[in-house]
Amino acid sequence: MKHYIKGNYRKSIFKTDQGYVIGLFKVRETNSENLADFVNKTITFTGYFHELNEDDLYVFYGEDIFHPRYGLQFQVTEYERLTPKDKDGLIEFLSSDLFKGVGEALATNIVNELGENAIEKILENEEVLYDIPKLTIKKAHKIYETLNKYESSHQVIIYLTELGFNMKDSLNIYNTYKEQTINNIEYNIYKLIDDINGISFVKVDEVAKKFNIKEDDERRIKAAIIYVMNKLVYEKSDTYLEYNEIYNGVYGYLRLNLDNDLFNRLLSELEQEFKIVIEDDRYYLKEMYEAEENIANKIKIITNLNETKYKNLDEKINYIEEINNLKYSENQKKAIKSALIDNLLIITGGPGTGKTTIVKAICQLYMELNDLDFDNAVNNIALLAPTGRASKRLSESTNLPAYTIHRFLKWNQEKNEFAVNEYNKNVHKLIIIDEVSMLDTLLLDSLFKGLNDNIKVILVGDHNQLPSVGPGQILKDLIESDVIPIVYLDLLYRQDENSYITTLAQEIKNDSLSENFLETRSDYTFLRCNSLSLKQNLINLCEQIISKGYDYKRVQLMAPMYKGENGIDVLNSELQNVFNPADPTKKEIKYGDVIFRENDKILQLVNMPEENIYNGDIGVIKYILTENTKSKRTEIYIDFDGNVVRFLPKDLIKIKHGFIISIHKSQGSEFEMVVMPICKSYKRMLYRKLIYTGITRAKRKLILIGEDDAFIYSVKNNSEMSRKTSLKEKLTNKILN
């Protein structure tokens, strides 16, 4: 049953430009038992709205929720404004702030003269107002216009929701087109995709069927081309596409035999409309082409700046060595010096090669040379990383604040834009970015747009790790362009006499795997078993790990694939029973086929900047509230390293179990113990960079389990899918030519 509250809107507490409102509502009537006590009282509501007029009568449809801080609230999904029918309600409505210059006395005159159908009579003919005492014709016309506009806007919103758009999309559409909404939609509904942020081609194409638009309508085909290009770019992580990819993709979606001449003409039109860029045989989405161009231009500007001159640099480095009780190698000193002299520098190396040590030294030396205390350092140095965990590690190692790039750029999720941008630039003077291999093209472009030209940028990462999930291969292209100073770190410093993890990483990187990789070491074990017995052997291993005093907070399992009998999805279910079995004292909730339980390990799947949690963050379900007396709703509270965030059942799509995660999701993190299954059933995903990335996440203990020949195959296989990018070429052309 759809719950509703009927009553009067009182005021807004919070409102965004997109129409999201938190406000107060006087409840007159409700069909929700939970809200019975709120009749004739005020309740807080949330939702997306067009215009809310104070004291107007509304019906809000939605659900009651319990907020831990603000108590019971009503979450609105749909709403309608009710025309007041009683005399008092009409007077209150007409004397509200909506009708400027109409006080209670004048509103009373109107209602006395026109009766309880006053609104309908005015909308039908404004001249009924002309005989109202003390009401000028000018003011009468203004009342009619206001009423007509107010009524029309709500009718348009209703029209859009009836077509199948949700309230948020309906508001975005109306706020963009205003009075021309219906005309624009009927003229070319596919233009919504260009004009309205966040509306998908699939949704618009579904609604378009109600307008009897032909399958081969050119407007539909052009919209499908953009949709397919977006889809392919993000699936393949390429920054440009080839003709056949686009043609076959469009055919696969539309199932239309398209004439090549027609297809070429439509591509040319899309280029003329500045939606795509065609260069040689490369087809770019406009934003992707411009992103690579912008990055190349920014790098040219930064590298052309005069080098910074410092006196007594060697002496200062010696001083930093003393306070840290360390002795830097010549290569490390070179990296530290270059970071202070050059305006753009890449520092790359594997685990244990001293990247973190150097970053700390660079910060200390920069503070020393520029006479900065902590407060001034924070205003001058920005430490950044793509993930929350990586930024936390960066902060711990330097004793300076560190941020995710999204947080640094002040990402607004609702608008899908950054507040720090080319029009509102950041003022820091030294930017150090860790885990650069994870950066995709659009994110680096956004970061560069938000930085002043007169700046130092240090890029730190391991070029042997996996590239970004999103389009591009930033670190690889920057290194291969040969236009940026680079310091390669290859000596191992994080290695004691008995350590094997970093040695193994080096062997994998260099394709020089020794024959004794099956030998057990103090920090390394390889347990042999075949694909058929892998799952059971993994369960047995985890039970042994638990018996030795380890829990899932200290151990991270990771695998290459989600699907299959040995895939992450199946294994997570099994491992939940090992690490966090069902118990009468633990509450749980079912979401589809998955059971979430108190004390479960959780992986965050989407960015939620408003809660300071990001894709890849790992948390623990602290507690689940079910059918509590206040809300009668289930609420899940997840602890992300001290940041406790509330989830509702509908939010569970944003998380999954994290007992075992993908190697891709592990990037930017380190774990005390890593357990990684490797078998032939993963063959499609077994390649060197993936395995290298996985094992380098382990700090103290690494356990590989599975088939040794599958492991050897992965080390030998360096044929990861190459990405189509043009950043390297653009950098070379702009800087060297």
Side-chain angles (χ1 to χ4, degrees):
M1 181 178 66
K2 188 187 287 185
H3 285 170
Y4 73 83
I5 53 174
K6 184 188 292 185
N8 304 93
Y9 163 66
R10 288 306 189 212
K11 67 175 183 178
S12 295
I13 300 170
F14 172 80
K15 187 176 182 180
T16 70
D17 294 339
Q18 285 64 49
Y20 181 77
V21 175
I22 302 173
L24 299 178
F25 189 84
K26 182 71 172 287
V27 181
R28 305 293 185 188
E29 180 186 321
T30 182
N31 66 343
S32 171
E33 292 182 8
N34 300 330
L35 302 178
D37 292 341
F38 280 88
V39 173
N40 295 321
K41 295 180 182 176
T42 300
I43 191 171
T44 303
F45 69 88
T46 65
Y48 286 89
F49 301 86
H50 170 48
E51 281 185 61
L52 289 172
N53 189 43
E54 194 169 324
D55 293 326
D56 267 12
L57 188 64
Y58 293 90
V59 179
F60 289 172
Y61 300 96
E63 58 183 355
D64 45 281
I65 61 171
F66 184 76
H67 192 283
R69 182 179 298 176
Y70 304 112
L72 206 57
Q73 297 181 338
F74 196 78
Q75 193 171 65
V76 184
T77 55
E78 302 172 54
Y79 75 101
E80 60 180 307
R81 183 179 63 82
L82 301 177
T83 303
K85 296 297 183 184
D86 64 294
K87 184 178 178 180
D88 290 341
L90 281 168
I91 293 170
E92 189 176 16
F93 175 63
L94 289 170
S95 60
S96 69
D97 290 342
L98 183 66
F99 301 92
K100 304 296 183 185
V102 180
E104 188 175 338
L106 186 53
T108 302
N109 287 343
I110 295 171
V111 176
N112 286 338
E113 286 290 326
L114 301 180
E116 294 183 355
N117 292 321
I119 303 297
E120 289 83 354
K121 290 178 180 179
I122 297 168
L123 286 169
E124 190 175 323
N125 183 8
E126 71 171 281
E127 292 182 6
V128 298
L129 292 168
Y130 291 176
D131 296 327
I132 303 296
K134 299 181 180 180
L135 180 62
T136 64
I137 292 177
K138 184 179 180 182
K139 189 171 286 186
H141 182 65
K142 188 69 177 176
I143 291 171
Y144 169 77
E145 278 191 330
T146 302
L147 195 58
N148 192 55
K149 184 180 179 182
Y150 190 57
E151 190 69 23
S152 298
S153 66
H154 280 80
Q155 290 305 314
V156 173
I157 299 293
I158 292 169
Y159 166 79
L160 292 169
T161 56
E162 287 176 346
L163 283 177
F165 295 109
N166 61 34
M167 183 58 68
K168 184 179 181 181
D169 286 345
S170 298
L171 288 171
N172 282 340
I173 295 168
Y174 182 79
N175 288 333
T176 302
Y177 295 145
K178 301 293 184 184
E179 292 80 10
Q180 296 302 312
T181 297
I182 295 175
N183 288 339
N184 285 348
I185 286 177
E186 291 179 349
Y187 176 70
N188 183 8
I189 191 169
Y190 290 99
K191 199 169 184 302
L192 289 175
I193 302 164
D194 299 329
D195 297 342
I196 314 299
N197 184 39
I199 289 190
S200 71
F201 169 78
V202 175
K203 168 52 72 177
V204 172
D205 200 39
E206 181 186 311
V207 174
K209 294 174 184 175
K210 298 177 181 179
F211 292 89
N212 297 316
I213 293 174
K214 293 181 179 179
E215 287 191 338
D216 61 350
D217 189 295
E218 289 186 8
R219 296 169 301 177
R220 182 175 185 243
I221 297 169
K222 286 165 74 172
I225 290 172
I226 299 299
Y227 166 71
V228 165
M229 287 184 70
N230 268 291
K231 191 168 181 289
L232 289 175
V233 158
Y234 284 93
E235 282 179 354
K236 297 172 175 286
S237 298
D238 296 329
T239 59
Y240 69 85
L241 300 165
E242 295 171 353
Y243 179 88
N244 286 339
E245 293 178 279
I246 304 170
Y247 184 91
N248 293 334
V250 173
Y251 171 78
Y253 183 81
L254 300 180
R255 293 296 172 185
L256 295 173
N257 288 313
L258 299 170
D259 177 79
N260 282 103
D261 289 340
L262 169 66
F263 199 74
N264 285 324
R265 176 170 64 79
L266 296 179
L267 284 169
S268 184
E269 287 179 12
L270 287 168
E271 185 177 31
Q272 292 167 21
E273 294 166 13
F274 303 104
K275 292 178 182 177
I276 68 172
V277 175
I278 305 172
E279 192 172 78
D280 300 324
D281 293 325
R282 300 170 177 177
Y283 295 78
Y284 300 82
L285 290 166
K286 181 172 177 284
E287 67 174 2
M288 213 56 76
Y289 180 86
E290 290 182 346
E292 288 192 329
E293 282 283 312
N294 293 340
I295 291 169
N297 286 330
K298 187 74 170 186
I299 288 174
K300 183 178 181 179
I301 291 169
I302 296 174
T303 53
N304 283 343
L305 294 171
N306 292 328
E307 292 182 345
T308 310
K309 305 294 184 183
Y310 287 111
K311 295 179 180 179
N312 305 320
L313 205 50
D314 288 321
E315 282 182 29
K316 295 292 184 180
I317 292 175
N318 292 338
Y319 169 71
I320 300 299
E321 283 183 319
E322 287 178 20
I323 65 174
N324 290 322
N325 195 26
L326 287 172
K327 190 70 179 174
Y328 302 123
S329 70
E330 288 304 311
N331 210 30
Q332 287 179 316
K333 287 182 180 180
K334 178 185 174 184
I336 297 167
K337 279 185 182 179
S338 296
L340 273 297
I341 296 169
D342 297 316
N343 296 302
L344 185 62
L345 175 70
I346 296 173
I347 301 172
T348 182
T353 55
K355 296 190 299 294
T356 303
T357 301
I358 289 171
V359 169
K360 181 181 179 181
I362 292 167
C363 293
Q364 290 174 320
L365 187 57
Y366 186 85
M367 291 170 67
E368 177 70 19
L369 291 167
N370 292 279
D371 195 25
L372 302 176
D373 59 15
F374 178 84
D375 290 338
N376 288 322
V378 169
N379 295 324
N380 282 269
I381 305 170
L383 303 176
L384 310 177
T387 68
R389 282 182 165 262
S391 67
K392 188 177 179 182
R393 285 196 293 109
L394 199 55
S395 180
E396 289 170 348
S397 63
T398 59
N399 295 318
L400 290 169
Y403 311 92
T404 64
I405 295 171
H406 280 78
R407 192 174 184 187
F408 177 76
L409 295 176
K410 299 179 181 177
W411 183 47
N412 185 314
Q413 188 176 27
E414 193 172 68
K415 294 182 179 180
N416 192 28
E417 63 184 33
F418 296 107
V420 177
N421 50 44
E422 61 266 49
Y423 310 109
N424 180 35
K425 297 195 177 200
N426 182 272
V427 295
H428 286 80
K429 296 177 181 177
L430 172 64
I431 306 292
I432 302 177
I433 311 162
D434 199 10
E435 300 288 353
V436 176
S437 62
M438 298 177 66
L439 280 184
D440 63 46
T441 302
L442 292 179
L443 186 55
L444 183 60
D445 176 40
S446 296
L447 177 60
F448 275 178
K449 282 178 180 174
L451 300 179
N452 285 314
D453 292 340
N454 189 21
I455 196 167
K456 283 186 179 295
V457 179
I458 301 165
L459 306 170
V460 183
D462 185 350
H463 65 287
N464 291 296
Q465 285 197 34
L466 291 167
S468 61
V469 175
Q473 45 186 15
I474 292 297
L475 187 56
K476 183 175 187 290
D477 283 349
L478 293 181
I479 290 173
E480 292 183 356
S481 69
D482 205 27
V483 300
I484 301 169
I486 304 169
V487 178
Y488 293 92
L489 304 176
D490 47 20
L491 292 177
L492 296 179
Y493 299 93
R494 200 179 69 199
Q495 184 182 17
D496 59 42
E497 198 173 306
N498 300 311
S499 174
Y500 184 66
I501 296 172
T502 48
T503 300
L504 180 63
Q506 290 281 90
E507 290 179 356
I508 292 171
K509 180 180 72 174
N510 299 325
D511 187 20
S512 58
L513 189 65
S514 61
E515 294 180 358
N516 57 357
F517 74 91
L518 291 172
E519 293 180 11
T520 298
R521 317 295 175 99
S522 61
D523 63 342
Y524 169 80
T525 303
F526 196 115
L527 299 175
R528 298 171 75 182
C529 65
N530 59 41
S531 294
L532 294 175
S533 64
L534 176 64
K535 183 167 65 176
Q536 188 56 54
N537 276 278
L538 189 63
I539 291 168
N540 295 341
L541 170 63
C542 290
E543 288 173 345
Q544 292 175 27
I545 290 171
I546 293 170
S547 70
K548 292 180 179 179
Y550 287 88
D551 61 19
Y552 59 73
K553 294 176 184 177
R554 299 171 62 193
V555 180
Q556 184 59 63
L557 288 87
M558 54 185 70
M561 293 176 63
Y562 283 96
K563 304 302 179 186
E565 191 60 23
N566 294 320
I568 292 166
D569 292 337
V570 171
L571 291 177
N572 253 323
S573 178
E574 298 287 348
L575 292 169
Q576 181 190 32
N577 296 326
V578 176
F579 285 108
N580 190 33
D583 186 306
T585 64
K586 299 174 189 171
K587 292 180 180 177
E588 54 187 47
I589 178 175
K590 192 169 185 181
Y591 183 76
D593 296 329
V594 180
I595 293 173
F596 290 104
R597 184 176 299 140
E598 288 178 338
N599 294 331
D600 272 351
K601 191 174 188 177
I602 294 300
L603 176 71
Q604 181 71 15
L605 300 176
V606 298
N607 291 324
M608 294 171 60
E610 71 283 3
E611 301 288 357
N612 196 29
I613 53 172
Y614 296 88
N615 183 1
D617 285 352
I618 293 174
V620 176
I621 295 180
K622 193 171 182 178
Y623 49 87
I624 298 173
L625 299 181
T626 57
E627 301 297 316
N628 68 70
T629 55
K630 289 188 176 179
S631 71
K632 305 291 184 185
R633 305 285 305 169
T634 297
E635 297 168 345
I636 306 94
Y637 290 82
I638 303 176
D639 184 352
F640 295 92
D641 289 332
N643 177 25
V644 180
V645 180
R646 185 192 67 150
F647 287 74
L648 296 175
K650 64 182 178 65
D651 300 318
L652 295 178
I653 194 173
K654 301 174 182 177
I655 62 172
K656 69 188 305 165
H657 282 123
F659 298 103
I660 181 165
I661 65 175
S662 72
I663 296 172
H664 281 87
K665 290 289 188 186
S666 74
Q667 286 183 271
S669 299
E670 287 184 337
F671 308 98
E672 185 175 343
M673 177 188 292
V674 167
V675 178
M676 193 161 67
I678 300 174
C679 62
K680 293 171 187 172
S681 60
Y682 300 145
K683 188 172 180 178
R684 186 172 61 84
M685 292 294 293
L686 291 180
Y687 55 93
R688 188 183 300 166
K689 276 193 177 181
L690 187 84
I691 299 302
Y692 174 86
T693 299
I695 71 164
T696 55
R697 302 306 90 203
K699 289 198 296 186
R700 292 187 176 87
K701 183 76 176 178
L702 172 67
I703 301 175
L704 303 181
I705 179 169
E707 296 162 324
D708 54 315
D709 51 347
F711 180 63
I712 293 170
Y713 169 83
S714 66
V715 174
K716 293 290 183 184
N717 182 18
N718 200 31
S719 59
E720 65 180 292
M721 291 187 64
S722 61
R723 297 184 174 186
K724 295 192 291 287
T725 66
S726 49
L727 179 60
K728 173 185 170 182
E729 181 184 311
K730 290 180 187 295
L731 283 167
T732 303
N733 291 338
K734 288 180 184 293
I735 297 176
L736 295 183
N737 296 338

